[in-house]
Amino acid sequence: MNKRLTWLPFLTEDIPASLVTPEQIARFELEQALPKLAPGKTAQLTIVDAMEEGCTIQQHGDVLSISGGKVGVLYGAYKLLMSLATGHPLPEGDQQPRYGLRMLNCWDNASGDIERGYSGRSLFFENGKFDYDPARMRQLGRMLASVGLNVMCINNVNVRYPADQLIESWLPELAELAAIFRPFGVKLMVSIDYSAPMRHGVPTADPLDKQVQAWWTKQAEIVYQAVPDLAGFLVKADSEGRPGPFTYGRNHAEGANMLARALKPFGGKLVWRCFVYNCRQDWRDTTTDRPKAAYEHYAYLDGQFEDNVILQIKNGPFDFQVREPVSPLLYAMPKTNLAMEFQLAQEYTGQQVDIYAMPPMWREVYDDMPADKVMSIAAVTNLGRDENYTGHPFAAVNLFGYGLFAWDPDLQPEKIIRLWTRLTYGMDQLSEDTLVNLLMGSRRTYEKYTAPLGLCWMVSPNHHYGPSPSGYEYQAWGTYHKADRDAVGIDRTASGTGYLLQYPEEFQKLYGTPETCPDLLKLFFHRLRYDYVMSDGRTMIQRIYDDHFEGLEETRTMAETLKALPLPSPDKEEALERMERQLVNAREWCDITNTFFRRYSGIEDAHGRTIYR
Ligand code: GCU
């Protein structure tokens, strides 16, 4: 069994299967770690049911006391140990998570592969069935609890046979897995196929059909008999070819409510994804603008959802691109339970080859989203069967940071990254500072060589690694930049596609003119001429060239920095091997993108650097 746990290196003992409550696990963790981290000190746990997930930590002489709810004491134990391990003061006052559901969405298929997975095969499935190492599951439970995550959806939102059996013939196995995660305060969730009743003699999946409703009601009963604390169902409907209520002329409130009513008696949640858009768009059609889609499908339904429905909305209006504005739908549904969805899996962000620490990006999203409207947080996981769980050893900072932010969205990214770095590597101060800086800057560097000024989708189609400036240009996915010899970008203002009008006024003002729009989103909202003069006096085309050359240069510097860092084996070798690939990738992106724009615009680089013909 793998014992490497990046940010908890002081927990080296496997968690025995005999421990079945969070309190028992908390005691076990404290017993093994306190002698190493705080010799002479002892811990005292007090369960206060009413505190639920919350906890308080106090020190009286040599006694460290944790009070908390049933799960709260476990969170308290990890918080305490992390503080001791990093030399930080103990967290003060009442610790409460800001968001109710702090979810991981695994896109694991029953076959064992993972959709957009970059860390090896599934931790749960292989060959069309459950296949996991229970000790490793407990290790995973420990990781999730240590950063406060409390729900894990174990299968891909694109549910394909035989994963549909998760709520049918695989219930005993699902119950076994749920029992492993329960002591960690982690509830399981499953993705379901909207058309499931049709495989059981029901002629339709129409949510208003009585037989359909009866099938789901009965099925929910069966599921909850097996797993009484299942968190609920996750649904991708009418999205990228998945079945859904549109087939029957029903809207998504009708579609979701039917399932929600079936789950309600058992306290289950129905998490319904809002990733709905026309993925068969004709590129000639200029009236459809994909970022508008989610708002158009959902905003008018505000207030019509059952109270156990949670709409899960991707952080941006497209699809986890390097830089997008916050989704306007988050502002448009004040009477509906909303969850924000992030993607830890680095689909468009370097695929766990290129270094891309996400906390700085999330800080921007949390700053822009309506803090009081979003109640839950979800993220597509970056985990897999690789020895270190995340492929690139540094990708673990994203799981770690995701959990910490979901607990406390006011945190600063540098604090999170430093905490992870110190816990994981415990290096001297200078090396720690160096790695923290490298990680803090990694997203901006990646952005510089891949996503100029908010232009999205210049990426190789399908697998999404590497440059292809026009790869998505004439495709059906609604992803166009429309570069020609004079200009690039889509006008999304009122005089263009009108996407801007979906935002509250303050955003409309900010993004509404090229002058007020932040540089890094200018080409998301505006179509600009190459000779448009940016706020710093450079032309837009020069800014694109400069960013690409800088991105490549920064990657080269990063590679040198990495070589000099005293990282332990095998992290060092793994990081260096991936860095070789990142260097190749950055060079391809830089040269291909610059050549692309040079060919269209006919404008030379003002500094005479090499742009290939
Ligand atoms: C992206 C991704 C798909 C995924 C989809 C989703 O489009 O490429 O693999 O299924 O998002 O979020 O459902």
Side-chain angles (χ1 to χ4, degrees):
M1 216 269 298
N2 169 51
K3 297 214 179 206
R4 288 173 59 200
L5 247 195
T6 77
W7 61 84
L8 301 170
F10 46 85
L11 298 177
T12 47
E13 302 293 318
D14 288 354
I15 295 180
S18 56
L19 305 183
V20 292
T21 67
E23 183 189 351
Q24 287 170 351
I25 293 176
R27 288 188 193 284
F28 176 80
E29 303 289 45
L30 291 164
E31 259 164 44
Q32 64 166 311
L34 275 188
K36 293 179 224 165
L37 302 176
K41 299 228 176 359
T42 54
Q44 201 175 58
L45 296 190
T46 314
I47 306 267
V48 184
D49 278 341
M51 290 176 82
E52 298 180 355
E53 293 189 309
C55 59
T56 50
I57 303 168
Q58 282 169 330
Q59 175 158 13
H60 305 286
D62 279 344
V63 181
L64 297 157
S65 67
I66 303 172
S67 323
K70 281 201 186 75
V71 183
V73 286
L74 181 59
Y75 293 147
Y78 287 122
K79 284 183 190 302
L80 170 68
L81 293 177
M82 288 199 239
S83 303
L84 294 174
T86 50
H88 287 128
L90 299 181
E92 274 174 31
D94 194 13
Q95 307 293 305
Q96 285 289 345
R98 183 77 62 87
Y99 297 104
L101 302 190
R102 303 176 301 281
M103 307 182 267
L104 267 193
N105 293 179
C106 304
W107 285 359
D108 293 33
N109 294 318
S111 61
D113 49 42
I114 302 180
E115 181 150 336
R116 313 303 178 186
Y118 311 103
S119 322
R121 302 198 48 87
S122 167
L123 281 158
F124 316 117
F125 309 108
E126 193 57 71
N127 273 323
K129 55 183 176 49
F130 270 108
D131 178 354
Y132 58 81
D133 171 358
R136 206 166 187 203
M137 292 298 108
R138 286 190 287 277
Q139 188 80 313
L140 178 57
R142 171 189 256 168
M143 285 166 83
L144 302 187
S146 73
V147 293
L149 297 174
N150 63 1
V151 174
M152 180 167 65
C153 183
I154 58 170
N155 65 311
N156 190 359
V157 287
N158 296 311
V159 184
R160 293 185 200 93
Y161 177 84
D164 54 341
Q165 293 307 304
L166 275 167
I167 56 160
E168 299 179 26
S169 61
W170 290 6
L171 282 170
E173 291 91 339
L174 184 67
E176 269 172 45
L177 190 66
I180 296 182
F181 283 96
R182 190 168 295 124
F184 297 94
V186 176
K187 292 181 177 169
L188 299 191
M189 183 175 274
V190 285
S191 300
I192 58 106
D193 173 0
Y194 203 77
S195 64
M198 297 177 77
R199 280 189 303 281
H200 295 273
V202 182
T204 170
D206 181 351
L208 300 196
D209 182 281
K210 291 269 174 303
Q211 270 177 284
V212 173
Q213 294 165 0
W215 189 87
W216 281 111
T217 304
K218 178 88 197 118
Q219 206 56 34
E221 225 176 276
I222 297 171
V223 169
Y224 276 86
Q225 245 161 40
V227 189
D229 60 353
L230 190 78
F233 292 166
L234 173 63
V235 189
K236 173 174 178 177
D238 292 316
S239 166
E240 300 185 328
R242 303 313 299 161
F246 285 168
T247 311
Y248 312 98
R250 312 298 180 196
N251 68 40
H252 275 211
E254 293 167 320
N257 287 343
M258 180 273 294
L259 288 170
R261 286 180 198 122
L263 296 175
K264 200 178 274 186
F266 313 100
K269 306 277 187 217
L270 195 264
V271 182
W272 187 269
R273 296 178 83 230
C274 298
F275 185 54
V276 177
Y277 68 99
N278 177 8
C279 65
R280 297 202 181 82
Q281 188 177 331
D282 185 333
W283 61 270
R284 298 167 193 84
D285 163 16
T286 51
T287 57
T288 308
D289 185 22
R290 174 165 159 187
K292 291 168 76 177
Y295 184 103
E296 287 172 348
H297 286 300
Y298 294 95
Y300 76 101
L301 296 173
D302 188 31
Q304 295 185 30
F305 290 90
E306 292 285 337
D307 59 8
N308 60 330
V309 174
I310 298 172
L311 294 188
Q312 186 166 298
I313 301 169
K314 289 192 180 184
N315 64 278
F318 258 136
D319 185 11
F320 302 136
Q321 300 298 291
V322 173
R323 187 175 295 272
E324 296 184 45
V326 74
S327 169
L329 187 57
L330 293 162
Y331 280 90
M333 305 195 71
K335 291 184 270 191
T336 307
N337 298 319
L338 303 181
M340 163 107 87
E341 179 177 343
F342 292 115
Q343 190 186 39
L344 313 183
Q346 290 174 233
E347 176 178 359
Y348 295 97
T349 52
Q351 307 207 345
Q352 281 134 262
V353 174
D354 299 29
I355 300 173
Y356 193 111
M358 298 181 176
M361 172 167 101
W362 296 332
R363 179 68 271 144
E364 295 165 6
V365 178
Y366 278 113
D367 282 344
D368 279 353
M369 80 174 195
D372 50 333
K373 302 286 185 297
V374 174
M375 308 306 291
S376 299
I377 300 286
V380 181
T381 163
N382 57 359
L383 297 166
R385 215 173 263 230
D386 278 0
E387 205 24 35
N388 63 6
Y389 295 89
T390 52
H392 198 302
F394 299 167
V397 76
N398 292 330
L399 179 65
F400 179 81
Y402 166 65
L404 263 58
F405 262 137
W407 184 284
D408 178 4
D410 297 329
L411 286 172
Q412 287 307 317
E414 182 172 338
K415 185 170 173 191
I416 292 178
I417 288 180
R418 186 171 293 282
L419 193 59
W420 177 84
T421 303
R422 191 171 294 179
L423 284 166
T424 304
Y425 295 124
M427 297 182 290
D428 61 278
Q429 193 60 50
L430 186 63
S431 304
E432 178 182 299
D433 290 347
T434 308
L435 182 53
V436 170
N437 288 338
L438 183 150
L439 292 171
M440 280 295 291
S442 58
R443 181 273 188 128
R444 181 68 193 116
T445 296
Y446 187 84
E447 177 179 29
K448 281 184 181 172
Y449 62 80
T450 62
L453 309 174
L455 278 185
C456 307
W457 300 106
M458 301 181 82
V459 62
S460 296
N462 307 320
H463 61 76
H464 300 159
Y465 189 77
S468 181
S470 286
Y472 271 110
E473 208 46 27
Y474 302 100
Q475 297 222 10
W477 304 94
T479 46
Y480 318 112
H481 55 62
K482 308 207 175 201
D484 65 19
R485 65 177 190 174
D486 300 316
V488 62
I490 307 281
D491 178 1
R492 297 199 155 97
T493 66
S495 54
T497 70
Y499 164 71
L500 183 73
L501 302 174
Q502 296 182 343
Y503 282 97
E505 212 182 311
E506 56 184 296
F507 286 95
Q508 291 194 29
K509 281 209 182 107
L510 178 68
Y511 298 137
T513 69
E515 288 65 42
T516 52
C517 186
D519 282 355
L520 297 180
L521 281 170
K522 274 197 172 43
L523 294 177
F524 191 99
F525 284 98
H526 301 279
R527 179 168 182 83
L528 298 177
R529 290 179 54 86
Y530 296 115
D531 57 5
Y532 173 83
V533 181
M534 313 278 289
S535 40
D536 64 5
R538 285 183 281 179
T539 60
M540 182 262 277
I541 186 74
Q542 189 57 40
R543 179 68 197 268
I544 290 182
Y545 294 153
D546 288 350
D547 275 7
H548 282 79
F549 285 121
E550 271 172 39
L552 176 56
E553 229 14 76
E554 285 170 18
T555 309
R556 289 179 174 144
T557 307
M558 229 194 249
E560 291 310 309
T561 307
L562 202 57
K563 273 189 210 146
L565 274 179
L567 295 168
S569 182
D571 287 21
K572 175 115 186 196
E573 296 77 18
E574 282 170 0
L576 286 176
E577 182 274 325
R578 282 173 165 77
M579 181 45 88
E580 288 303 311
R581 289 190 270 158
Q582 178 169 357
L583 281 167
V584 174
N585 191 37
R587 175 152 189 246
E588 282 303 279
W589 272 100
C590 172
D591 286 345
I592 290 177
T593 316
N594 281 345
T595 296
F596 172 83
F597 282 113
R598 158 71 187 70
R599 283 182 185 167
Y600 265 109
S601 67
I603 300 173
E604 300 295 343
D605 170 39
H607 306 296
R609 290 162 293 193
T610 304
I611 296 182
Y612 295 86
R613 298 288 144 151

